[in-house]
Amino acid sequence: MKTIRGGIACGHPKVAEAAEEVFQKGGNAFDAIVAAQLSACVVEPVLASLGGGGYLLACPASQQPQVYDFFVQTPINKHRGKADFYPVDADFGDVTQEFHIGSGSAATPGMVKGIFAIYEDLCSLPLAELASPAIRQARHGALVTPMQAYVFDVVSPIYRATESAQKAFVSPAGDLPREEELFKRPELADTLEGLVQDGERFFYEGATARSIAKVCSNGGYLNRDDLKAYEVIIRDPLAFDYRSAGLLTNPPPTFGGLLIAFALQLMEAVQVADFAGGSHLGILTKAMMLTQKARLDAMGDDRFDAGNLLDTKYLTRYQLEIQDEFACTRGTTHISTADSKGNIAAMTLSNGEGCGVMVEGSGFMLNNMLGEEDINPGGFGRWLPNRRMASMMAPTVLSVGDKRFSLGSGGSNRIRSAILQVVSNIVDFDMDMVRAVASPRIHVEGGELNIEKGFAASVLAELEKEVDS
């Protein structure tokens, strides 16, 4: 009988292979997730990069859970010169979205510091073994998946924006990486080997730091002081209950986990399980609309403390609205791992969409978080120096009875609605994980209700009446 050492859920088969290889060597869930994290930076370059950041919710079997915040930091100094910062349009087919890129859109990356903090605290295998799959994939190439080919097409203007980006990603024929193409990244393989040999100093104080400072010297904000000063922040997770289930998720100052908690607390005022066959969509829609309203209210108040969003007085104000209505009737990837010893890890990573500028000789693109509208609600250029940036990323662990589920999603503002609905599907409708994730979803954004295919026509007709009323 084959021994099951662990499991992984992720968005790319090569990332899964990296984790599986580490499990086969006897590694734990955290060894596997670091290997997967490094692999994602190779094979999912639009979604994850050494030039970006993320979060890990670590739930060791014998220790208290903790969140490793290795997301990006705003630069220490805000120069008054002209920034290299400009808009480009990404074509999603049905809609075009504007992103802002250039070296002036790059915040201080935390990915590498995160890798080493997790490794030192939680991993059991040598770093060389964890990095081996990613180095091999970068050196010898990995086949481009349909999803990655699609993402490259969507953000094509970013990956053609500069000579350095074109050199790294555009073929002699003028194409970005295409489906089933073997895509190699030799410079990134060299950088990963440098990290294994010399540690995080190679990135934050050595050759890579010099290259980052150089590419940001003309219109960017980052310099070697920013990189040297960066630190991972370890936080207690936000813990709360939804009905009989317990949840752990990303805490403030990040908004994603907080908004999931807020929406679930709203839904707790209604017996969602009584609404079968999709008739609960009205409740979900109202909860999402009120959550969006609460977020905008909170972020528009300079005196507001994000943690207050779950205070009883504040929450009750919105719960009354949902009770009154229903009492009678571009650039993110996620990895989850678990092992046979009871360790669970949930990690969400992002590079925004990338700033369009490669770090010379290092094989990766810096993030464009200072140009991300979702996390700059006050407007571009209004960021405060030397602050950890907020995010919608929300790695989450759900406990129902003796079962634990590691959850997370990519998708920027859609992260919170995706996790909200998976949690509701499991807790309210007793779905297994596969069905809970595969079920169609809805999302409210900017006054618009987006609905995936798969709901019955009668359910949609009833939802339309509720929304119109």
Side-chain angles (χ1 to χ4, degrees):
M1 181 181 292
K2 187 176 181 179
T3 301
I4 298 177
R5 295 184 172 88
I8 179 170
C10 58
H12 196 291
K14 286 297 180 183
V15 175
E17 286 181 17
E20 181 184 16
E21 184 175 321
V22 166
F23 276 134
Q24 293 296 339
K25 292 178 178 178
N28 62 30
F30 307 111
D31 292 305
I33 210 159
V34 167
Q37 177 183 10
L38 289 163
S39 175
C41 290
V42 174
V43 301
E44 299 182 273
V46 179
L47 308 178
S49 167
L50 297 184
Y55 305 89
L56 168 70
L57 172 54
C59 296
S62 58
Q63 301 175 37
Q64 291 297 312
Q66 291 183 313
V67 171
Y68 286 73
D69 177 349
F70 53 96
F71 197 48
V72 299
Q73 186 96 349
T74 59
I76 294 173
N77 295 308
K78 206 171 184 179
H79 63 68
R80 296 186 179 182
K82 184 175 176 61
D84 176 31
F85 187 88
Y86 55 96
V88 295
D89 289 329
D91 185 1
F92 288 86
D94 296 334
V95 65
T96 298
Q97 185 172 350
E98 185 178 82
F99 296 121
H100 287 76
I101 63 171
S103 61
S105 69
T108 310
M111 186 75 76
V112 170
K113 279 273 190 174
I115 289 167
F116 279 90
I118 298 162
Y119 171 72
E120 290 166 5
D121 290 352
L122 300 169
C123 293
S124 62
L125 296 180
L127 182 62
E129 293 193 32
L130 306 187
S132 177
I135 292 171
R136 186 173 63 249
Q137 291 162 3
R139 183 79 64 201
H140 301 296
L143 293 179
V144 177
T145 65
M147 176 62 181
Q148 293 305 308
Y150 166 75
V151 172
F152 271 120
D153 284 343
V154 169
V155 297
S156 173
I158 299 174
Y159 288 77
R160 298 178 185 273
T162 63
E163 184 178 342
S164 65
Q166 291 183 33
K167 182 180 177 182
F169 293 102
V170 179
S171 72
D175 298 318
L176 286 164
R178 295 191 291 184
E179 185 177 344
E180 295 301 312
E181 176 185 334
L182 188 66
F183 183 44
K184 299 180 180 180
R185 306 183 66 186
E187 285 188 341
L188 182 56
D190 291 342
T191 298
L192 293 174
E193 288 177 343
L195 292 176
V196 171
Q197 293 169 7
D198 299 331
E200 63 186 52
R201 289 174 59 88
F202 178 81
F203 187 97
Y204 289 94
E205 298 181 46
T208 306
R210 291 191 292 272
S211 294
I212 291 173
K214 182 178 178 180
V215 300
C216 291
S217 62
N218 185 21
Y221 297 97
L222 298 184
N223 58 41
R224 296 181 67 180
D225 290 339
D226 292 293
L227 295 162
K228 191 173 182 179
Y230 184 90
E231 295 292 342
V232 173
I233 300 174
I234 298 179
R235 310 181 192 275
D236 292 329
L238 175 64
F240 64 99
D241 294 330
Y242 175 58
R243 307 195 195 281
S244 60
L247 288 98
L248 300 173
T249 191
N250 211 5
T254 287
F255 260 93
L258 189 68
L259 294 175
I260 293 168
F262 185 83
L264 287 169
Q265 298 300 296
L266 293 181
M267 290 171 61
E268 199 162 34
V270 182
Q271 290 302 316
V272 178
D274 294 340
F275 297 79
S279 59
H280 69 297
L281 291 187
I283 300 170
L284 279 172
T285 301
K286 185 66 174 178
M288 290 179 188
M289 292 172 67
L290 290 173
T291 300
Q292 184 177 1
K293 181 177 184 294
R295 177 201 177 202
L296 295 175
D297 288 348
M299 297 184 85
D301 184 352
D302 293 336
R303 298 165 298 173
F304 186 80
D305 179 355
N308 293 340
L309 197 63
L310 296 182
D311 282 357
T312 302
K313 289 182 180 179
Y314 195 83
L315 186 62
T316 301
R317 185 172 115 201
Y318 293 91
Q319 279 181 326
L320 290 174
E321 291 191 45
I322 199 168
Q323 275 185 322
D324 289 344
E325 186 153 344
F326 294 103
C328 301
T329 40
R330 134 208 166 171
T332 311
T333 193
H334 181 82
I335 307 165
S336 290
T337 60
D339 63 32
S340 58
K341 297 177 182 178
N343 299 304
I344 293 180
M347 177 184 284
T348 311
L349 308 172
S350 181
N351 200 42
E353 294 77 35
C355 74
V357 179
M358 301 296 292
V359 177
E360 183 180 347
S362 299
F364 66 89
M365 184 179 289
L366 288 169
N367 67 83
N368 68 324
M369 296 300 182
L370 299 181
E372 280 280 277
E373 184 177 3
D374 293 343
I375 55 178
N376 291 275
F380 299 124
R382 296 184 63 186
W383 46 269
L384 296 175
N386 204 28
R387 300 288 182 91
R388 189 59 48 95
M389 295 191 75
S391 167
M392 285 297 157
M393 292 189 279
T396 299
V397 170
L398 168 68
S399 299
V400 182
D402 60 354
K403 296 180 180 178
R404 290 196 294 172
F405 304 84
S406 179
L407 307 174
S409 177
S412 190
N413 276 343
R414 292 175 183 262
I415 292 173
R416 66 180 187 270
S417 59
I419 296 175
L420 167 68
Q421 288 166 89
V422 171
V423 170
S424 179
N425 287 342
I426 293 171
V427 177
D428 293 317
F429 300 107
D430 198 28
M431 293 185 188
D432 60 37
M433 177 67 98
V434 173
R435 188 179 168 207
V437 172
S439 295
R441 301 177 195 147
I442 63 173
H443 176 70
V444 174
E445 184 76 25
E448 292 185 354
L449 173 61
N450 299 280
I451 306 172
E452 291 183 350
K453 294 179 181 179
F455 293 107
S458 58
V459 170
L460 298 180
E462 186 61 32
L463 176 61
E464 186 175 359
K465 291 179 185 176
E466 290 174 355
V467 172
D468 289 343
S469 63

